[in-house]
Amino acid sequence: MALLSVQSISVSIGQLNPLEGVTFDIDKREILGLVGESGSGKSLTAMCVMGLLPRIGGTITNGSIIFDGRELIGLPEIELRRLRGKRIALISQNPMTSLDPIIPIGAQIDQVSTLHLGLSPEAAKARSLDLIAQLRIPEPAAIHRAYPHQLSGGMKQRIVIAMALAADPDLIVADEPTTALDVTIQAQIIQIMVELVRDRSLALMLITHDMGVVAQACDRVVVLYAGRVAEMNTVGEVFANPKHPYTRELIRCIPRLGQEPGSLKGIPGAVPSIVDYPDGCRFNPRCSEAQEICRGQVPALERKSSGIAACHFSEV
Amino acid sequence: MISFFLKRLLLLIPVFLAVSMVIFMIVHLVPGDPIDNLVQINSSPEQKAALAAKYGLDKPLYHQYAIWLGNALTGDLGNAIILRRPVADLIAQNLPHSLSLGALALLFSTIVGIASGALAAIYKDSWIDRTTMTLILLGSTVPSFWLGLLLIMLFAVQLGWFPVSGARSWDALILPVLTIGLGGVALVARVTRVAMMETARKDFVMMLHAKGVPPWQIELRHVLRHALLPVVTILSLRIGWILGGAVTVEFVFARPGLGSLLITSLNQRDYPVVQGALLMLAIAVMLGTLLGDIIQAAMDPRVRERIK
Amino acid sequence: MAAFDPIKTAIRSPRGGVSAAVLLLVMACALFAPLIAPYAYDIQNLPGSNADPSVAHWMGTDEFGRDLMSRIIYGARTSLTVAVTAISISVVAGLTLGAMAAYFGGWFDRAVTAVVDLTWSFPEILIALILIAIIGPGVGSVMVAISIAYLAQFTRLTRAQIMALKNETYVEATTNLGAGHFHIIFRHLLPNALTPVIVAGMLATGDAIILEATLGFFGLGAQPPTPSWGAMMSSGTAQIFIAPWIIIFPGLAIAITVISINLFGDALIESLDIHNHLRSV
């Protein structure tokens, strides 16, 4: 059984329905990539898994989220809080703003292990120092005393990772963990996370808009488009044999070495606005293969030869 | 920290010089011969001449200022015209009353203001929030002297719980502190409430939730701590407002203090006393600002960094 | 006219509407005091002094037997005239100083900023008292004192507004087209910075009414027999045991006026959506 199984969840925020029937699962020791353009609902999915949706005024209207055999939807907040940080940890998008600027870095890591593992302040500190060292940050003791503004972005993201690891979680949700960082640092951070999954038999849900990151790090990938799953498959299959036209466009957009200058083009059109989603398949206005049925009927998310996809015309 | 303190103190010197210059100029800007503003009306020409010599009134203005400032810094603020006593004595006598009133009012405003502002932010849109908001509106619009008079009517005249005026016993402090306090509470509560609501929207607060930190801990240990930064800034900027409130309230409650000393001598045109009292109030305002800066640096590592 | 739309929106909100109505009433009292007041403000009637509120004297009489309500209606005249005039002067001076400081920069800006920062940390009441110490008590002095006491606030606000606008492309474009300094300041920069400053001025008028009353209460404002809300309460303190209404009603007049100004100002800020511009104040 999968460690985390998200089945057909739909979300509403006020009058809007930003997620519809999102489905995927993650196993232990697996890295699942969640890709899509901004506005596709990636971060919202992360919020659902973390049980933080009510904090931004959203509710899950349908579906189920089963973590380690336990239904998370409807779980009282106090129970969710015991999972958060302890068994499911978050690595956020912007390390610059996700640390409390007026509290020393060490204390922010210690907080997790004192809270969830009941460690004494001294033991928590020792554990944090150990984690900082494991993440290859020089001078752990000095870093432990430092304040966030004294560190670079890449260092801060490592601290956020240390914070996520502090209570030895089973699942880490990383929401675009490298978007705010320099390209060279991005690769390092991704590398660190890949090693963590291998060494600690973690499960990692890696949200990104970068197909390059997916190719580099992930085992399987879920492609989201406008709040729905377009396709889910192993990384090898997705790149070799994409089932959904949107996935094909995404792959086509990856720049390659030796490509003729000027030949790189984006996907024509724009992501539809949430207040005005098209009928039928939401990708149809931008799809070169769209037919009448695509404009009238929502394609079901179906099992294909490998993986699942939601397209009327993908080969079986 | 000590170098920071000294640096701030040094920065206050030009401010002090500018303010003291304005205060010094009062006797020269008032119509008439400065000497007449400094002595009793029936003084003999000899007395006038002696005083004119003491203040160097025949010398250029900057020289006179230097003499005056030198005297003031060594504790000689001249003699009161009406009360016929050294101004320094009058100030020494009145200062403790103003200090205790100001300090208590500041303490009251800070504690009650932060508590009510924080509760209003945590229970946003509840009756607590609405009550606080109404109090904030009243506190920032009702003239403090009127509030003082109303409190006197209710608690001193009608109920007889507290003395009407004066400063003979400790309970005479309660109504004045409440009077200044309402305005201070309104200010502090408003800033706390807005700052907490703004902080609550920050990324790191969401991260704290993601870490599984209990909400009350997030509100008190993180959000409130952040909200206190602007509160300290405002308080250090507006510490003078609380002292200003003390001026008014002392007069209303006929309490001894720098404020009533200032108003009385203004009405009597007793300029040496006016100068002395204004100088003390200005120093108090500057020291308050300095105190605020120090508290802020102690609370925020980023401020400490900027100073280095 | 488009310029009046935010005002209309503000009036349509329940708070804005009620406060606007109250303000209109107060202004009517100030303008038409002789028509509205049931008695003259200075007619004494010593046998009828300190009388309770009654049908003949709705708010009672003061220690000289003068009708309190009439004096409060005339008092609106003093309070509003002083506050509005003082703040208008202060706003105009602040706009000019702030715009010039921001536009020209350099030593002029530094000098203005230094003086503004200096006065900023001192309470308005203290600044006003220093000024009155110099120019002596009276209505005119109070007006001057108030307008100088609030000058720092408007200069600071204008300067911040212009600094934000100065680097926008259209100003650069106008400069490149060869427009003169004063043309740029008065035709392009000031009109854009005007709204927040005027709203701040309106809110400050409320504070100025309180300041005027406080100075009047200290006996430094309007001299008898001119009715002023602050001075009325000051003379009422002697009668606090026998005629508390002499204090209650003028204070109520101030409180209601100032609360209305604040509520209407808030409604206006909301309809103009300029919260952020006013944050520095």
Side-chain angles (χ1 to χ4, degrees):
Chain A
M1 208 184 145
L3 178 67
L4 174 79
S5 165
V6 174
Q7 278 151 27
S8 196
I9 51 165
S10 297
V11 163
S12 73
I13 299 177
Q15 300 294 312
L16 306 173
N17 301 300
L19 287 188
E20 245 184 62
V22 170
T23 297
F24 61 87
D25 57 306
I26 309 179
D27 280 318
K28 272 195 175 159
R29 279 178 288 279
E30 185 183 40
I31 304 182
L32 178 80
L34 203 64
V35 284
E37 289 161 280
S38 16
S40 59
K42 296 172 305 209
S43 294
L44 269 181
T45 311
M47 291 302 229
C48 292
V49 173
M50 296 299 303
L52 289 172
L53 200 58
R55 293 254 153 239
I56 52 169
T59 42
I60 298 178
T61 52
N62 211 348
S64 88
I65 300 176
I66 293 170
F67 174 75
D68 201 14
R70 197 157 162 217
E71 174 62 72
L72 296 190
I73 295 175
L75 213 57
E77 171 61 22
I78 191 152
E79 295 285 322
L80 283 171
R81 214 163 66 216
R82 282 192 197 127
L83 288 176
R84 253 185 246 138
K86 180 169 168 60
R87 302 206 57 202
I88 310 178
L90 179 73
I91 296 172
S92 57
Q93 187 162 14
N94 192 346
M96 311 296 167
T97 54
S98 36
L99 294 168
D100 187 332
I102 60 172
I103 289 180
I105 280 164
Q108 303 191 45
I109 309 176
D110 299 355
Q111 191 179 31
V112 178
S113 47
T114 42
L115 188 72
H116 292 297
L117 305 179
L119 294 189
S120 67
E122 297 76 32
K125 186 181 173 187
R127 189 181 165 82
S128 303
L129 286 174
D130 195 36
L131 272 170
I132 296 174
Q134 277 179 44
L135 290 165
R136 296 193 289 271
I137 303 173
E139 295 185 70
I143 295 290
H144 193 274
R145 276 193 307 270
Y147 286 93
H149 68 270
Q150 296 167 321
L151 267 63
S152 68
M155 283 297 161
K156 271 188 230 175
Q157 194 60 302
R158 287 175 203 226
I159 296 300
V160 173
I161 294 174
M163 216 157 72
L165 293 173
D168 242 334
D170 303 291
L171 170 67
I172 291 185
V173 177
D175 186 0
E176 307 226 24
T178 58
T179 307
L181 305 174
D182 290 344
V183 184
T184 45
I185 312 288
Q186 287 187 9
Q188 288 175 17
I189 296 288
I190 295 289
Q191 187 55 36
I192 287 175
M193 291 198 293
V194 171
E195 284 168 23
L196 285 174
V197 171
R198 210 174 46 216
D199 300 346
R200 297 175 168 246
S201 53
L202 280 165
L204 175 65
M205 176 174 149
L206 180 61
I207 296 174
T208 177
H209 58 259
D210 185 345
M211 284 304 269
V213 169
V214 171
Q216 182 195 347
C218 299
D219 302 309
R220 280 189 309 138
V221 60
V222 180
V223 180
L224 282 182
Y225 187 80
R228 289 182 187 153
V229 173
E231 157 162 24
M232 175 166 82
N233 212 335
T234 62
V235 169
E237 270 295 300
V238 161
F239 279 92
N241 186 15
K243 302 283 189 298
H244 197 283
Y246 176 60
T247 319
R248 284 199 281 283
E249 292 285 350
L250 276 182
I251 293 167
R252 192 180 56 76
C253 289
I254 305 172
R256 284 176 191 79
L257 219 57
Q259 207 169 10
E260 206 170 303
S263 67
L264 186 65
K265 290 198 174 65
I267 307 174
V271 186
S273 152
I274 183 165
V275 290
D276 192 24
Y277 278 144
D279 290 334
C281 173
R282 285 177 180 166
F283 189 58
N284 83 66
R286 300 169 81 183
C287 182
S288 55
E289 300 152 45
Q291 306 283 322
E292 203 45 52
I293 185 173
C294 303
R295 286 183 268 274
Q297 202 178 322
V298 181
L301 193 58
E302 291 169 336
R303 202 150 279 288
K304 305 287 174 181
S305 55
S306 72
I308 55 173
C311 177
H312 293 297
F313 294 98
S314 70
E315 74 282 20
V316 178
Chain B
M1 208 58 194
I2 289 171
S3 75
F4 163 69
F5 175 78
L6 289 176
K7 222 176 265 178
R8 285 284 143 145
L9 208 58
L10 281 178
L11 278 177
L12 281 181
I13 291 175
V15 179
F16 174 76
L17 288 178
V19 174
S20 61
M21 226 177 278
V22 174
I23 293 172
F24 159 75
M25 284 306 287
I26 289 175
V27 283
H28 294 271
L29 291 170
V30 170
D33 191 339
I35 191 69
D36 293 324
N37 295 323
L38 292 170
V39 297
Q40 285 135 31
I41 296 163
N42 51 5
S43 300
S44 66
E46 291 78 29
Q47 284 170 313
K48 282 191 184 185
L51 212 62
K54 181 190 168 195
Y55 288 116
L57 290 185
D58 53 332
K59 303 202 170 74
L61 261 184
Y62 64 87
H63 198 158
Q64 292 182 35
Y65 169 65
I67 295 174
W68 177 80
L69 188 66
N71 287 340
L73 290 178
T74 50
D76 177 8
L77 291 160
N79 280 300
I81 301 169
I82 311 285
L83 292 167
R84 298 173 184 242
R85 293 176 49 196
V87 174
D89 284 5
L90 285 171
I91 286 177
Q93 194 179 19
N94 283 285
L95 187 63
H97 292 288
S98 290
L99 277 183
S100 53
L101 177 60
L104 274 178
L106 189 62
L107 200 69
F108 176 79
S109 319
T110 313
I111 295 173
V112 179
I114 289 174
S116 52
L119 283 173
I122 294 171
Y123 301 102
K124 193 174 156 13
D125 295 326
S126 70
W127 64 269
I128 298 178
D129 190 19
R130 281 193 295 273
T131 313
T132 311
M133 290 300 282
T134 312
L135 260 167
I136 289 173
L137 181 67
L138 287 180
S140 48
T141 51
V142 169
S144 64
F145 65 92
W146 185 55
L147 178 70
L149 292 169
L150 290 186
L151 290 177
I152 292 176
M153 281 183 216
L154 182 61
F155 293 107
V157 177
Q158 295 295 325
L159 299 170
W161 292 355
F162 305 108
V164 173
S165 62
R168 271 176 297 278
S169 56
W170 66 269
D171 56 352
L173 263 171
I174 292 177
L175 292 183
V177 166
L178 282 178
T179 307
I180 310 175
L182 183 67
V185 167
L187 178 71
V188 174
R190 190 179 60 208
V191 179
T192 310
R193 179 175 171 276
V194 172
M196 280 195 66
M197 294 193 311
E198 268 175 19
T199 310
R201 282 197 292 270
K202 296 237 160 108
D203 285 353
F204 76 82
V205 174
M206 186 58 93
M207 195 63 192
L208 287 165
H209 285 292
K211 281 158 80 175
V213 182
W216 62 268
Q217 231 180 53
I218 296 181
E219 295 286 2
L220 292 183
R221 293 236 304 250
H222 298 272
V223 178
L224 182 59
R225 216 173 137 176
H226 273 265
L228 291 184
L229 300 174
V231 170
V232 172
T233 311
I234 293 286
L235 270 179
S236 70
L237 274 174
R238 302 245 155 174
I239 225 161
W241 269 251
I242 290 182
L243 286 169
V247 171
T248 315
V249 165
E250 281 172 4
F251 188 74
V252 173
F253 285 88
R255 280 179 61 84
L258 287 182
S260 25
L261 186 67
L262 174 63
I263 305 296
T264 315
S265 37
L266 259 179
N267 273 314
Q268 296 169 336
R269 309 195 173 216
D270 193 337
Y271 289 106
V273 185
V274 170
Q275 284 182 311
L278 281 175
L279 200 62
M280 284 316 292
L281 283 169
I283 291 175
V285 170
M286 287 187 288
L287 291 181
T289 318
L290 180 68
L291 184 71
D293 282 345
I294 291 170
I295 296 177
Q296 211 174 5
M299 284 175 62
D300 190 340
R302 293 165 297 180
V303 173
R304 290 201 290 276
E305 197 87 342
R306 232 176 290 141
I307 302 153
K308 273 180 197 161
Chain C
M1 271 243 315
F4 290 106
D5 285 349
I7 298 180
K8 276 190 206 155
T9 319
I11 290 175
R12 273 195 213 107
S13 70
R15 282 183 191 190
V18 172
S19 53
V22 174
L23 287 180
L24 280 178
L25 184 73
V26 177
M27 281 191 268
C29 284
L31 281 172
F32 308 114
L35 301 175
I36 297 173
Y39 300 89
Y41 65 84
D42 54 353
I43 292 182
Q44 302 192 358
N45 173 21
L46 290 176
S49 64
N50 295 329
D52 292 9
S54 64
V55 180
H57 299 283
W58 289 4
M59 297 183 183
T61 63
D62 69 4
E63 70 274 27
F64 296 110
R66 297 175 296 199
D67 180 54
L68 201 61
M69 190 164 93
S70 304
R71 286 182 64 75
I72 287 176
I73 291 171
Y74 275 96
R77 206 170 238 205
T78 318
S79 282
L80 287 197
T81 314
V82 172
V84 171
T85 316
I87 293 296
S88 306
I89 296 171
S90 197
V91 164
V92 171
L95 278 169
T96 316
L97 260 180
M100 282 171 41
Y103 184 79
F104 292 117
W107 67 268
F108 183 73
D109 184 30
R110 280 199 294 280
V112 170
T113 311
V115 175
V116 163
D117 284 349
L118 178 68
T119 47
W120 181 249
S121 53
F122 290 89
E124 280 100 6
I125 178 96
L126 213 53
I127 296 172
L129 286 174
I130 293 179
L131 290 165
I132 288 180
I134 296 170
I135 49 186
V139 176
S141 314
V142 169
M143 239 185 259
V144 173
I146 293 178
S147 55
I148 294 180
Y150 282 93
L151 186 57
Q153 183 182 334
F154 301 123
T155 310
R156 199 183 165 102
L157 185 60
T158 312
R159 186 177 169 277
Q161 298 292 312
I162 304 274
M163 286 301 248
L165 285 171
K166 199 180 152 188
N167 301 322
E168 302 218 347
T169 40
Y170 76 93
V171 176
E172 240 169 84
T174 324
T175 319
N176 292 340
L177 288 171
H181 293 316
F182 283 90
H183 177 83
I184 294 173
I185 294 181
F186 286 101
R187 291 298 299 277
H188 296 282
L189 291 176
L190 269 184
N192 284 298
L194 213 52
T195 316
V197 180
I198 287 179
V199 174
M202 190 190 148
L203 288 171
T205 308
D207 297 341
I209 290 176
I210 293 183
L211 187 51
E212 188 270 338
T214 309
L215 295 171
F217 184 78
F218 291 158
L220 302 169
Q223 302 298 315
T226 312
S228 104
W229 292 341
M232 288 163 77
M233 285 189 264
S234 174
S235 60
T237 49
Q239 335 291 328
I240 195 165
F241 294 97
I242 46 171
W245 49 87
I246 305 179
I247 291 169
I248 293 176
F249 289 117
L252 214 53
I254 299 174
I256 290 174
T257 311
V258 179
I259 288 177
S260 303
I261 290 177
N262 271 273
L263 286 178
F264 188 68
D266 284 348
L268 211 53
I269 289 175
E270 201 126 309
S271 72
L272 288 164
D273 196 21
I274 48 170
H275 291 277
N276 294 334
H277 295 266
L278 291 167
R279 190 155 296 169
S280 62
V281 179

